[in-house]
Amino acid sequence: MDGLCRKSAFLTLIFEEVTLTGSTNADLLARAVQGAPEGLWLRADAQDGGRGRLGRVWESPSGNLFASTIVRLRDTDPSPASLAFVTAVSVFDAVRQIAPQVPICVKWPNDILTPDGAKLCGVLLERASDAVVVGIGLNLVWHPQNLERKVTDLLTLGATPPDAQTAVEIVAEVFARYLAIWRQSGVEVIVRHWEARAHPRGTALSAKLPDGEHLDGLYAGLNEDGALQLRLADGAIRAIHAADVFLI
């Protein structure tokens, strides 16, 4: 396992890399329990057990970015669930640095999409005691085919993406900055950053709730806690706290 340490303006960043692992999230969950520090980033060239939200398989061949980091929760921190918005804003800004010519937006809570709804990046947050492990899968040069939903990668979109190690270092620097904002200024400030990067209000969305209920409506922003506000056909606003959300 190779590694390097770098001081940022906000946090000491530690980068480790492995050629192949099952899941960088699973690796860091185990290490978090053993006391691994905040600021540690683990990147794998490839994964053979990558996973996304709701237990979905995340295909992880060499060439894309597969990385996870640890956030150590403090008593004064905002809700850990709001780290999803910190991550989404961070990856959005990092992609803008990497490929400024590629149009992107964020979709609730933390997907990075093209304007036509093709997924470019996925995020998975998992908790172990006082630590949250944040996993990021960013399609740099490859994307899977024949999925139920649209996906893409930066190379396909006409960019010249950097190698995965350069990409994770860019993501980590931006993440450290927004993590500091989250701690100092709270969820509402992060939510405003998120909304500025989201698809426009009035965008048609479909939400599948954990109990199986389906709701279609128009995006009406987020509330102060980050819940999705969905305007239904009768004009009522429904606050969505957990759901699988799609552009329609």
Side-chain angles (χ1 to χ4, degrees):
M1 180 180 290
D2 299 321
L4 63 91
C5 182
R6 174 177 297 164
K7 291 277 188 180
S8 78
F10 308 96
L11 187 66
T12 298
L13 301 174
I14 305 164
F15 298 98
E16 296 183 2
E17 59 180 286
V18 294
T19 301
L20 175 66
T21 190
S23 160
T24 57
N25 258 37
D27 292 346
L28 283 197
L29 283 167
R31 293 179 63 177
V33 172
Q34 298 166 359
E38 181 170 289
L40 171 62
W41 284 82
L42 177 64
R43 183 186 66 79
D45 288 338
Q47 300 179 130
D48 57 14
R51 62 194 190 279
R53 290 181 65 246
L54 305 177
R56 295 189 182 97
V57 173
W58 187 273
E59 294 188 52
S60 311
S62 181
N64 287 342
L65 173 60
F66 316 110
S68 301
T69 191
I70 294 173
V71 176
R72 288 284 176 189
L73 299 174
R74 305 172 185 175
D75 291 341
T76 55
D77 281 346
S79 165
S82 60
L83 285 168
F85 302 106
V86 174
T87 311
V89 170
S90 300
V91 176
F92 179 99
D93 284 13
V95 171
R96 276 288 174 84
Q97 289 186 43
I98 291 167
Q101 75 278 29
V102 173
I104 54 173
C105 64
V106 297
K107 177 183 70 65
W108 192 87
N110 50 34
D111 284 340
I112 308 297
L113 308 178
T114 60
D116 66 350
K119 187 170 180 174
L120 188 64
C121 177
V123 171
L124 178 64
L125 275 65
E126 297 180 287
R127 184 167 176 177
S129 187
D130 70 338
V132 174
V133 172
V134 179
I136 298 169
L138 175 59
N139 293 338
L140 297 172
V141 298
W142 179 90
H143 67 271
Q145 305 291 329
N146 303 318
L147 297 183
E148 293 180 356
R149 58 184 69 188
K150 292 189 287 187
V151 292
T152 190
D153 62 77
L154 289 177
L155 186 63
T156 297
L157 294 170
T160 305
D163 62 80
Q165 182 59 33
T166 299
V168 74
E169 291 175 20
I170 293 170
V171 170
E173 289 282 353
V174 181
F175 184 84
R177 175 162 56 88
Y178 280 110
L179 186 65
I181 293 171
W182 176 75
R183 284 188 164 134
Q184 294 166 7
S185 303
V187 175
E188 289 188 38
V189 172
I190 293 295
V191 165
R192 288 200 295 271
H193 280 288
W194 189 98
E195 287 196 281
R197 292 156 176 79
H199 43 70
R201 293 194 181 210
T203 297
L205 300 176
S206 179
K208 180 181 179 182
L209 278 59
D211 63 2
E213 181 183 7
H214 285 261
L215 292 173
D216 291 341
L218 302 180
Y219 170 62
L222 307 184
N223 69 15
E224 64 276 6
D225 296 323
L228 174 67
Q229 303 284 79
L230 194 64
R231 186 180 302 277
L232 305 181
D234 63 1
I237 299 291
R238 177 81 172 264
I240 307 296
H241 297 275
D244 216 7
V245 177
F246 305 89
L247 300 183
I248 55 177

